[in-house]
Amino acid sequence: MPRGVIPRQPAKTGRHEGARGSQAKSLRANQPSAQFKGTESPLHTPKARAVQAGQKVKAGRISKGYNPLAPERIAEILARLDQLYPDATCALTHRSAWELLVATILSAQSTDVNVNRVTPELFRKYPTVQDFAKLTPEQLEPDIRSTGFFRNKSKSVVGAAKKIVSDFGGEVPDDMDKLLTLPGVARKTANVVLGTWFKQAVGIVVDTHVTRIARRLELTENTDPAKIEQDLMRVIPREKWILFAHQIIWHGRKLCLARRPKCVDCPLEALCHAADKTWTTVEVHKNVQP
Ligand code: SF4
């Protein structure tokens, strides 16, 4: 049993200690969905039934035939995310592709709340991409200082503005390869702009939340964002790529926190075998680390 995991078994009455309100709601959500009826879902295996009945299961043991990428398991994860975050979208305030691009660059190593405090005044002061293109990075630094790493971010924003004006006629390109030519823009930022503004599912946003939760849910074993994105693109249906990333990011903010995730409240709990869970009704897999 990994350190820090406090296994608690469900009460025989089926009622969970302290399960009220959102907890009770989430526990109801832990019931298998219609998609799993009559199949060997993670909730219908003998082992899962044994765990739910309160019998001991050895931590770290992986059920024979368990496949974390089984289509039924992926479908169940997606169904529960849809139930939990049906309208998840980008939390960065923006009115154009350019504003979203700037906000996404500023959000690195910062919080969306922090960025949203800065951008209204920033775009009031410099309303267009042409206004940013006329600046030097040093002129922009004081306006974005509170988002952290402001020197690099200033260079990226001003550099991106200059290139958009000089090479793309003042319009943010809706093309991955072109976006990747902009200073400070890697696949994560490009995917945010393409997915959220242009509604193009070219890839999947992989940020710190997506990295952590994809690993906890055994959707990837990689740590490199580019490889994680490829792994996710193989198992998540393309029509879900944009929404899935938003849902996972919200899940990372609300429940699946980096430290001490709120597993007792998590509707994905019965599908999750992460070693650092804080509450579990299923066996944990000691090699599954965030
Ligand atoms: S059960 Fe815990 S670790 Fe697993 S997805 Fe939910 S909050 Fe995250």
Side-chain angles (χ1 to χ4, degrees):
M1 177 70 62
R3 293 176 69 176
V5 172
I6 306 163
R8 288 169 53 195
Q9 302 297 340
K12 286 191 175 115
T13 59
R15 291 176 65 84
H16 296 255
E17 188 188 337
R20 288 189 216 105
S22 64
Q23 290 180 354
K25 193 174 162 194
S26 69
L27 288 163
R28 277 197 299 281
N30 269 339
Q31 298 308 309
S33 77
Q35 294 175 50
F36 268 137
K37 280 181 183 148
T39 69
E40 279 289 283
S41 82
L43 294 173
H44 282 77
T45 60
K47 179 157 287 187
R49 283 197 293 271
V51 173
Q52 289 191 322
Q55 294 167 21
K56 282 188 180 170
V57 168
K58 194 176 170 190
R61 234 175 91 197
I62 298 177
S63 309
K64 200 178 168 194
Y66 171 71
N67 174 12
L69 304 180
E72 308 82 42
R73 180 176 185 269
I74 302 294
E76 187 61 16
I77 289 171
L78 296 177
R80 292 178 187 214
L81 287 172
D82 282 349
Q83 206 176 9
L84 197 55
Y85 311 106
D87 305 312
T89 188
C90 181
L92 293 167
T93 308
H94 62 279
R95 295 167 300 180
S96 65
W98 167 245
E99 290 192 2
L100 179 57
L101 179 65
V102 173
T104 308
I105 291 171
L106 297 184
S107 71
Q109 310 291 323
S110 185
T111 64
D112 290 353
V113 172
N114 209 10
V115 173
N116 288 341
R117 272 196 212 110
V118 167
T119 47
E121 175 58 19
L122 183 66
F123 296 127
R124 193 196 60 73
K125 196 168 172 184
Y126 308 111
T128 67
V129 63
Q130 287 80 6
D131 294 321
F132 281 88
K134 288 176 197 150
L135 298 174
T136 63
E138 293 72 24
Q139 285 174 306
L140 183 61
E141 283 175 7
D143 298 294
I144 62 167
R145 192 182 186 101
S146 65
T147 67
F149 300 92
F150 60 93
R151 291 201 177 86
N152 277 342
K153 289 178 184 176
S154 289
K155 281 190 198 126
S156 296
V157 170
V158 172
K162 288 183 191 301
K163 192 160 178 72
I164 287 169
V165 169
S166 64
D167 293 10
F168 302 117
E171 299 290 334
V172 175
D174 60 350
D175 178 275
M176 174 64 84
D177 291 338
K178 287 177 183 166
L179 281 168
L180 292 177
T181 67
L182 302 175
V185 176
R187 277 193 73 91
K188 187 202 90 172
T189 301
N191 275 322
V192 170
V193 173
L194 288 170
T196 299
W197 186 260
F198 293 110
K199 312 294 179 207
Q200 286 186 28
V202 178
I204 296 178
V205 174
V206 177
D207 72 347
T208 174
H209 297 297
V210 176
T211 297
R212 178 176 73 253
I213 297 169
R215 288 179 55 80
R216 278 178 174 157
L217 290 175
E218 300 172 85
L219 304 180
T220 183
E221 291 181 349
N222 282 304
T223 51
D224 172 53
K227 289 181 181 161
I228 292 172
E229 186 185 355
Q230 291 304 313
D231 289 342
L232 293 176
M233 287 163 70
R234 272 191 284 276
V235 295
I236 306 297
R238 189 172 195 143
E239 66 271 17
K240 299 290 265 183
W241 287 359
I242 299 171
L243 180 62
F244 172 78
H246 289 315
Q247 290 172 326
I248 291 288
I249 290 167
W250 277 105
H251 194 51
R253 290 190 185 119
K254 300 283 180 195
L255 294 173
C256 197
L257 311 177
R259 291 184 183 194
R260 298 208 56 79
K262 299 177 180 176
C263 305
V264 72
D265 289 334
C266 177
L268 301 176
E269 190 281 319
L271 299 165
C272 175
H273 304 275
D276 65 335
K277 286 175 81 175
T278 54
W279 188 86
T280 191
T281 60
V282 294
E283 70 269 39
V284 294
H285 299 163
K286 62 186 175 190
N287 60 328
V288 177
Q289 302 282 349

